[in-house]
Amino acid sequence: MKLPEHLQQWLDDATGQMRWKRARPVAAKELADHLSDQYEAFLDEGMDEDAAAQATVREMGDAVETGTLLDRAWRPRPDWVMLGLVLVVAAVGLGLQYIWNPELDAAALLWRYAAGAVCLLAAYFIDYTVLMKRLWPLLAVWLAAVLLLNQIETMLPDIAPIQIDVLFWLFPLLLAGLICRMGAKGTEGLASCVLAVAGFWMLLIVTHYTPYTITNILLVICSAILLIAVCHKAFGRVRVRNLCLALLPGAFALVRYLRSVVFLRSSGISREQNASLMTQLIRHMLFGTDTYYQDGAFATPQKSFWEWADAQENLLTIIQLEWGWLAMILVLVPLVILLGRGLMLAGRQSGLLAWLTCHAVVLTLGMQAVWYLLVNLGISDSGGTYGLPLIASDAIYLCQTMFLLGVLLSAQRSGQLESGPAPIGK
């Protein structure tokens, strides 16, 4: 109902004390409901409209005092520790790359760091709820960008790689928004999300620069997000059929992987023979394994490794060879702490979109980190890896990583607005 002018003025005075403008509509709705309920209660007691309005104002108390309480309760909750950790880890990563590749221009590294910081802060101050409120335009822009970059890469194959995969890693965020839009439809909504993931897989296949490993990892991430959503009752009660639907993309990725393993074995190709030359060298350097020589022999494994090793793609391997296993573990510790804190922040969210957004970011960066570690231990071939989040990355990948972390911190900063808890008395 529309509030009487006297009550509306009180509401405007109260919410006007709030410095966080994005919180005002949520707090105003809470207060308007209280005012309306109290006003109607006085009317039911037989008071006329003016008397009921005056009594309601007296019952609610001073508007300025109430607004001050609102300002204290409804304010952003920045995680300065997380922000500082992101910036420090990124700086350490660039320093390590410079140590092992002095040919890198120090000024270029500083600009790379500055660009990443801008992406972090830009995403941090953007309203993360745009993932649901503006989902369809975002999907359209994302799809258009993917197709455009793919077309450019097809027509101009001699130019430097555009790294179209950077856009693919943003899809889990869009999936989080889609889940929130479709959750009210129950199993039908979940099926729509699974179909969206299937369409995403087809897009990965038709783009000519999509490594096999990236496709499988992204399918696993999407499946994990769907499973988290189902367990969080985003699609209603937890049902066996919903769990099975959520697991479909991950199961499909597993089948693809097992199929490739069976094919290699049936072809008589050993694991060592199928490995890339750099993977063979890493295994030899770290664990002393016999090296299978592809396309002829090279001078010595040691010489070949140091000739071909890259400060971005093989940073952990280089650190282990030069400083030992303990140094490699110590380099990973800050990233593990950062991802662990991100997971903790994800678990604290009460709003569904904030919950899914934080989990999507942590899952994406966590899977990238695990993949990079497996490559640097010689367990897996590179398959298109960019680097280790924050620690070993080029300019584009660093910006993407810091943008994702900025979105996570945005959800943590203002996630309380999504669930709309009662502001007074907190």
Side-chain angles (χ1 to χ4, degrees), residues 263-274:
F263 173 77
L264 290 175
R265 289 187 176 180
S266 63
S267 302
I269 302 174
S270 68
R271 173 174 175 266
E272 195 66 35
Q273 288 174 311
N274 185 59

Side-chain angles (χ1 to χ4, degrees), residues 278 281 284-285 298-309:
M278 178 54 75
L281 288 172
H284 179 81
M285 296 291 288
F298 26 74
T300 62
Q302 291 81 0
K303 180 179 180 181
S304 298
F305 175 81
W306 290 111
E307 285 178 349
W308 299 334

